[in-house]
Structures are given as C-alpha cells and as structure tokens.
C-alpha cells in the first residue's frame, strides 16, 4: 500500500501529544490546533497526524491526514497498553489517507495490540488506506528502548505485522539505523522526533543520519512546534529530507 511520499520521502507533522503527554508540551502558540493546521500547510508537511477529536474539529483537508486510531495518556503507571479509540471507517470519513497505531512491543499487553493492529491493517487496506505502526518497545522487560538491537527488532515487528510504514526511535548512530532499515525490508521507516534536542543542529544531524541510513523521513512534533521558529525548522527538515541537503545547507534554508 502506497503512502503519500514526495520523491520517495516524507516529513510528517505529529500532533497527538495533547493526549499522550498532556498540555505540558505546549506553549502559547502550539496549544492551538488551528496554529498547527496552518503550520502543516505553510511548512509544506507531507502529512499531519491527529487523534479523531482534533481531526473532527480542525482538519480542513489541505494536508494529507493520518488519524491515530489508538492512544493513551501518561497518567496510568504499569505496563503500557493503548487500545483502539477510532474505527478505520470513521478515520476514512474524516478524510484520512492512512491510520496510525502504536504497539508497545515488550509490554505485558503486546499481544492485545498486535492482534488489534492486525485487524486494523486489514480494514485499512480494504479501504485503500495505509497502516502506519508506531513501534515503541516499552515496559518492565525493556531496559533500554533505544538500544540498536531493540530498534532493529521494532523495525522488524513493523514488517512482520504488515505495516506499510513504521515509526521508530533513532538509535544514536547511522550504522545502527541502517541495520534497522534493512530489518524493516519493504516497510518504509520513519524516524520518531522525540523530546526537543539540546540544539537544532543536534536534531538535524540525527535526521540527516536517519535519511543517510535509508529512512523515508520522519514524523516530528516537539522538535518543530516547540522551536522558536517552527516554519524555519520545517524548511530545514524539507531541505534535509526531500531535497537531500546537508545539515549546514538546511540550517540556511
Ligand atoms: P514527537 O516528535 O513530539 O516525539 O512526536 C512523535 C510521537 O510519536 C507522537 O506521535 C507521540 O505523541 C509521541 O511521540 C509519543 O511520545 P512518547 O515517547 O512519550 O511515547
């Protein structure tokens, strides 16, 4: 199943952190979904990732939509689990071109999420929509969720589970990410943005590394809309990912 790429690459804007982390991630601009919708358009993102509540009230059709069909808050403790909270059909009615689903591989509840994703992927494909899996190894059993072998395992889980694209963390080096991309086979790999990096150059260096390793791009939230100039960061990300520029060139974009 095809995912809407540009030159085989993509920069996706993630905006489900209000559910996942709460408003603590937001500033005076980014709390407002209307601001993020404008950013998605003006920043020429290849897609925007929303929970159904935001899609119902704010999505205006100008950027491809990915509806996250599961999610959880950061409030419960214990083994992570996120169950489906939006049907694939409803995501399609909202205009989504793809659905997103998080699997906490390694959690005591992973089988629930693997089973649910299996059904969601089949439903999505019947409606000609892509299924993107966020594979986040988490829980008591996972000592280091960005260790190279854990990230490669996450990538492979995406392929085995039938994901058209997988979203995984950057494991720290280009070589480690290269192995993860190989393990993902025909499943496209997107790097997950993560918490704001110490500097913009640090973040862009990781993105460059991911693309050099064969990633199709990234899905980014906080490192864009928490930055002083989110549009400038969007330009830099496009320069790196779509135009294949260097970090230095991207910073001047
Ligand atoms: P960020 O770029 O802000 O990290 O967003 C990517 C993302 O996967 C979001 O879709 C999701 O809300 C968040 O990260 C989950 O973060 P966590 O690592 O806390 O589970």
């Amino acid at each position: 199943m095809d995912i809407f790429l540009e030159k085989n690459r993509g920069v996706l804007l993630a905006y489900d952190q209000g559910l996942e982390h709460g408003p603590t991630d937001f500033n005076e601009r980014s709390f407002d979904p209307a601001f993020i919708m404008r950013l998605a358009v003006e920043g020429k993102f290849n897609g925007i990732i929303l929970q159904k509540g935001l899609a119902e009230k704010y999505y205006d059709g100008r950027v491809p939509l990915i509806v996250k069909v599961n999610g959880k808050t950061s409030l419960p403790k214990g083994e992570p689990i996120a169950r489906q909270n939006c049907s694939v059909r409803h995501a399609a009615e909202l205009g989504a071109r793809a659905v997103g689903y998080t699997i906490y591989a390694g959690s005591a509840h992973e089988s629930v999420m693997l089973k649910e994703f299996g059904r969601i992927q089949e439903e999505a494909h019947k409606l000609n929509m892509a299924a993107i899996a966020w594979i986040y190894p988490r829980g008591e059993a996972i000592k280091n969720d960005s260790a190279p072998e854990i990230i490669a395992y996450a990538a492979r889980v995406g392929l085995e589970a039938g994901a058209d694209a997988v979203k995984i963390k950057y494991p720290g080096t280009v070589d480690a990410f290269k192995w993860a991309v190989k393990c993902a086979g025909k499943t496209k790999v997107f790097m997950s943005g993560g918490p704001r990096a110490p500097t913009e150059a640090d973040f862009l260096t990781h993105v460059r590394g991911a693309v050099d390793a064969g990633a199709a791009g990234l899905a980014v939230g906080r490192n864009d809309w928490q930055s002083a100039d989110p549009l400038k960061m969007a330009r830099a990300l496009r320069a790196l990912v779509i135009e294949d520029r260097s970090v230095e060139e991207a910073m001047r974009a």
Side-chain angles (χ1 to χ4, degrees):
M1 181 69 48
D2 215 15
I3 50 172
F4 28 92
L5 296 176
E6 190 180 343
K7 301 184 187 169
N8 258 330
R9 300 267 175 84
V11 183
L12 308 176
L13 186 61
Y15 191 58
D16 60 337
Q17 293 81 355
L19 174 67
E20 297 289 335
H21 305 147
T24 179
D25 277 356
F26 299 146
N27 58 30
E28 277 304 311
R29 292 175 308 189
S30 60
F31 80 91
D32 182 4
F35 170 80
I36 299 291
M37 283 310 309
R38 282 196 302 278
L39 173 62
V41 175
E42 289 166 19
K44 299 194 172 85
F45 282 90
N46 300 101
I48 184 162
I49 300 156
L50 300 173
Q51 281 281 337
K52 75 169 186 175
L54 296 194
E56 285 165 354
K57 293 183 177 61
Y58 295 91
Y59 180 63
D60 61 10
R62 290 189 289 165
V63 174
L65 173 66
I66 298 135
V67 171
K68 216 31 228 313
V69 296
N70 74 338
K72 65 166 189 56
T73 73
S74 61
L75 302 172
K77 299 293 165 228
E79 291 293 289
I81 178 164
R83 296 293 303 262
Q84 183 174 14
N85 59 0
C86 174
S87 68
V88 177
R89 180 155 295 283
H90 187 59
E93 284 160 2
L94 289 169
R97 305 256 300 267
V99 289
Y101 186 97
T102 303
I103 298 171
Y104 296 107
S107 161
H109 307 298
E110 68 166 22
S111 62
V112 176
M113 292 168 277
L114 282 166
K115 181 177 176 195
E116 211 162 69
F117 179 75
R119 177 179 44 73
I120 285 166
Q121 181 258 23
E122 290 167 22
E123 288 173 14
H125 286 183
K126 278 190 194 124
L127 293 174
N128 218 15
M129 294 159 81
I132 305 177
W134 281 223
I135 311 272
Y136 289 169
R138 295 272 163 91
E140 267 299 299
I142 306 296
K143 298 302 166 221
N144 176 2
D145 70 352
S146 41
E149 68 278 13
I150 290 289
I151 297 296
Y153 201 166
R156 190 67 175 204
V157 171
L159 172 65
E160 302 272 351
D164 301 295
V166 68
K167 184 155 157 331
I168 53 175
K169 277 193 171 186
Y170 189 69
T173 68
V174 177
D175 280 349
F177 209 70
K178 241 182 216 164
W179 175 234
V181 170
K182 268 193 187 159
C183 291
K186 289 185 180 175
T187 294
K188 305 265 183 217
V189 175
F190 284 81
M191 176 189 130
S192 175
R196 198 165 166 203
T199 69
E200 299 197 339
D202 288 340
F203 180 62
L204 293 172
T205 302
H206 282 174
V207 177
R208 185 66 258 166
V211 172
D212 288 343
L218 83 160
V220 59
R222 290 166 286 178
N223 273 289
D224 188 90
W225 41 255
Q226 286 180 350
S227 78
D229 188 345
L231 270 179
K232 185 171 188 297
M233 177 54 97
R235 279 198 302 276
L237 290 170
R238 276 188 66 80
L240 271 183
V241 176
I242 313 287
E243 308 299 338
D244 232 348
R245 301 276 168 78
S246 67
V247 171
E248 295 70 29
E249 288 169 325
M251 289 184 80
R252 291 195 297 269

